[in-house]
Amino acid sequence: MSRKELDRAGVMSRVESEDLKLGDAARLMGVSYRQAKRIRGKYREHGAVGLRHGNAGKQSHRARPDAERSEILRLVGENYGGAEGERFGPTLAAEHLEREHGRKVHAETLRRWMLKEGLWSRARKRRRMRQRRERREHFGELVQLDGSQHGWLEERGPRGCLMDMVDDATSVAEIRLEQQETTWAAARVLRNWIERHGVPLALYVDRKNVYVSSGSEQERMSGKPALTQFGRMCQKLGIRIIAAGSPQAKGRVERAHGTHQDRLVKELRLRGIDSHAEANRYIEQEYLAEHNRRLSRPARKGEDYHRAAPSAAQLRKIFRLEYEHSISNDWVVRHQGRHYQLERQRRNYAPAGSKVTVWEAEDGTLGIEYQGQALRWKQIVAPMKPEKTHRPADRTAAAPRRKTIPGAGHPWRKRMNLTTEERQSVRLWKISNALSAASSSAAP
């Protein structure tokens, strides 16, 4: 018997012992007075067993046939089973059964079947609860960005880092598989987001050197904000960077990592994908659209806070690495061990000692600008440093001069040994000599 049926049996026993009126019993059971009378009749006729539901222990009329249930479980075991870290969950397995085999079954129904057959285990005990931060209200108001190092290709290919962007209001995602979480990796996924949705207001990132910098001592003393290369790109786009204090603070993108580590890894395994290029092609063409369709949600308010995306030419000028260097007296700029000779300019003249910007594009293209204008240059061979000449050892040379210490009869010693009266007489003698010399020079 269920808990509700046991509670009703206890209430009916109090009614039969006249400790409780039937009207009060109806309110205790949450039913009408007429329904309470029916329950009392069953209790008087059959006792507590009479309150048990009539279909208890019987198969539901809506249950799937045993043959169909066995066939579905066979497909799950052969195609989507395996070890605990490899097998598909009930939700993902139900999606593939409908798409690949034409067998439609509800995920919760499949979950019960898989639990009974040992094809799935219950969720592990959850960690200590943390209160979740409320979602932002508008699409594009805040986007979380993070990288996840994982064996995305398992043993078929190299490890990689999945760059994941998740909108805080809608959970719309943009992902890309890279080798490492670098400046260019973050720039590529951000550029994909901008081209697809527009420029968001803010990015929520962790405190890695790719995104934020503590700055040098000179920058901290001058009050100049320290920017990384990625931070400078976001500053040009008008995107505010917010650094999280802990992984739990950006929990939405952290939970999205777990979803991709379950679903994406299995999808890549089914298709035999073994390289980052093939994985990104599959993500772009199939996986991402299906993921956003299933797991995204509408924002609480309909206004889109994305700003219009810049043109392709403007994006090329924004997504590049920039370095500031000084021009030497011979109009040479040094950058990463290479030397670039500035050629004679017609209009934009850069004087020696001034600052120029050396930029590098993702494809390796390099340029030099002065006050926003491009300069003509050519790479030259670095000048050879003069070799240090070593004198051969001269064994006939004299020995090094030893340090001498004045003796007791040295004038320095005598001067130091004078008494106070003797020093005063010497000083008076010097004064008298100076006066006599002055008088003799003034005489005709």
Side-chain angles (χ1 to χ4, degrees):
M1 296 180 66
S2 65
R3 180 70 181 178
K4 183 175 71 174
E5 292 167 349
L6 291 174
D7 291 341
R8 287 184 175 183
V11 172
M12 286 296 105
S13 65
R14 294 174 61 187
V15 172
E16 292 301 315
S17 63
E18 298 182 353
D19 290 341
L20 196 66
K21 293 183 178 180
L22 189 59
D24 297 328
R27 284 191 289 272
L28 285 175
M29 294 185 293
V31 298
S32 65
Y33 183 76
R34 292 179 63 186
Q35 180 67 8
K37 290 174 66 176
R38 298 190 192 97
I39 295 173
R40 184 181 62 178
K42 290 182 180 180
Y43 183 80
R44 285 179 175 178
E45 184 176 356
H46 303 288
V49 180
L51 302 182
R52 188 182 181 188
H53 197 279
N55 290 333
K58 299 180 181 179
Q59 187 176 14
S60 172
H61 296 295
R62 301 171 58 185
R64 297 288 187 93
D66 293 340
E68 183 181 2
R69 178 177 178 273
S70 300
E71 176 66 15
I72 290 175
L73 290 175
R74 183 187 65 81
L75 292 173
V76 171
E78 292 178 356
N79 299 282
Y80 313 118
E84 185 172 349
E86 299 178 354
R87 59 193 177 191
F88 284 32
T91 303
L92 185 59
E95 295 174 9
H96 279 272
L97 284 171
E98 182 179 0
R99 184 167 63 244
E100 306 292 341
H101 307 281
R103 298 300 184 95
K104 187 174 182 179
V105 58
H106 196 275
E108 291 303 318
T109 302
L110 185 60
R111 187 187 305 276
R112 291 195 299 271
W113 293 356
M114 293 174 66
L115 285 171
K116 190 173 182 180
E117 294 295 325
L119 298 174
W120 186 246
S121 56
R122 296 187 182 276
R124 293 173 293 179
K125 185 177 179 181
R126 294 185 178 272
R127 297 180 180 179
R128 182 170 61 90
M129 176 186 170
R130 294 179 181 269
Q131 186 175 0
R132 293 188 179 183
R133 175 180 53 81
E134 288 293 330
R135 290 177 178 265
R136 296 297 176 96
E137 296 181 339
H138 301 86
F139 181 42
E141 186 176 355
L142 179 68
V143 180
Q144 300 185 15
L145 170 61
D146 193 29
S148 173
Q149 292 282 350
H150 188 66
W152 298 99
L153 303 177
E154 297 175 314
E155 301 299 328
R156 303 182 307 278
R159 289 178 62 88
C161 178
L162 188 75
M163 301 301 298
D164 192 358
M165 293 185 68
V166 178
D167 181 68
D168 192 73
T170 63
S171 293
V172 171
E174 178 72 37
I175 61 176
R176 181 179 174 85
L177 187 58
E178 301 281 352
Q179 293 182 356
Q180 297 289 338
E181 189 174 1
T182 61
T183 300
W184 281 123
R188 279 190 286 266
V189 69
L190 176 59
R191 184 166 183 172
N192 289 348
W193 181 282
I194 292 174
E195 292 175 348
R196 195 184 304 271
H197 305 291
V199 182
L201 286 184
L203 281 181
Y204 205 31
V205 297
D206 52 21
R207 295 184 178 275
K208 293 182 180 177
N209 293 335
V210 174
Y211 308 113
V212 295
S213 173
S214 58
S216 62
E217 183 178 357
Q218 182 179 2
E219 289 174 334
R220 290 194 296 268
M221 293 181 63
S222 63
K224 181 181 179 180
L227 291 176
T228 63
Q229 292 286 354
F230 183 78
R232 179 195 51 76
M233 298 175 188
C234 292
Q235 186 183 60
K236 288 187 175 182
L237 290 165
I239 301 175
R240 178 190 174 197
I241 289 185
I242 304 174
S246 65
Q248 292 80 8
K250 48 185 181 58
R252 234 170 292 287
V253 70
E254 296 288 348
R255 288 188 293 273
H257 290 334
T259 302
H260 296 308
Q261 288 173 8
D262 177 48
R263 285 173 166 256
L264 181 58
V265 169
K266 295 169 182 176
E267 297 286 2
L268 296 176
R269 183 197 310 152
L270 282 179
R271 289 158 178 80
I273 295 176
D274 57 1
S275 67
H276 290 177
E278 293 180 7
N280 286 324
R281 192 178 304 112
Y282 164 68
I283 289 171
E284 181 68 23
Q285 295 176 358
E286 299 182 39
Y287 178 81
L288 189 59
E290 181 68 14
H291 173 84
N292 287 333
R293 185 182 68 83
R294 287 185 176 274
L295 301 182
S296 63
R297 54 178 291 174
R300 281 188 287 175
K301 294 187 179 180
E303 295 84 3
D304 189 351
Y305 271 21
H306 284 98
R307 290 160 292 171
S311 64
Q314 291 173 331
L315 288 177
R316 283 194 298 270
K317 289 186 176 181
I318 291 173
F319 287 103
R320 63 187 189 184
L321 306 181
E322 294 184 359
Y323 307 89
E324 189 179 66
H325 295 291
S326 298
I327 304 176
S328 64
N329 292 333
D330 51 357
W331 276 268
V332 173
V333 177
R334 289 180 294 177
H335 173 65
Q336 295 183 353
R338 293 168 290 181
H339 292 66
Y340 302 99
Q341 178 70 61
L342 298 182
E343 298 180 353
R344 186 179 297 277
Q345 313 294 322
R346 293 182 179 179
R347 296 182 180 179
N348 192 28
Y349 173 76
S354 58
K355 300 289 186 180
V356 294
T357 300
V358 180
W359 59 264
E360 291 184 18
E362 184 180 358
D363 58 359
T365 307
L366 184 140
I368 302 177
E369 292 182 354
Y370 174 67
Q371 295 181 352
Q373 300 296 323
L375 300 177
R376 296 196 309 273
W377 54 271
K378 63 179 180 180
Q379 186 173 354
I380 60 175
V381 179
M384 298 294 293
K385 294 183 178 180
E387 296 183 0
K388 293 183 178 180
T389 57
H390 299 280
R391 287 185 177 182
D394 187 4
R395 297 183 179 180
T396 62
R401 186 175 179 180
R402 296 174 57 186
K403 183 178 180 181
T404 58
I405 301 176
H410 198 275
W412 292 354
R413 297 285 189 185
K414 293 181 179 180
R415 179 65 181 271
M416 293 175 60
N417 295 332
L418 293 176
T419 62
T420 305
E421 292 78 6
E422 291 174 343
R423 290 177 183 175
Q424 184 68 22
S425 61
V426 170
R427 191 177 298 110
L428 294 174
W429 176 77
K430 288 182 177 181
I431 293 172
S432 62
N433 286 342
L435 290 176
S436 61
S439 60
S440 60
S441 63

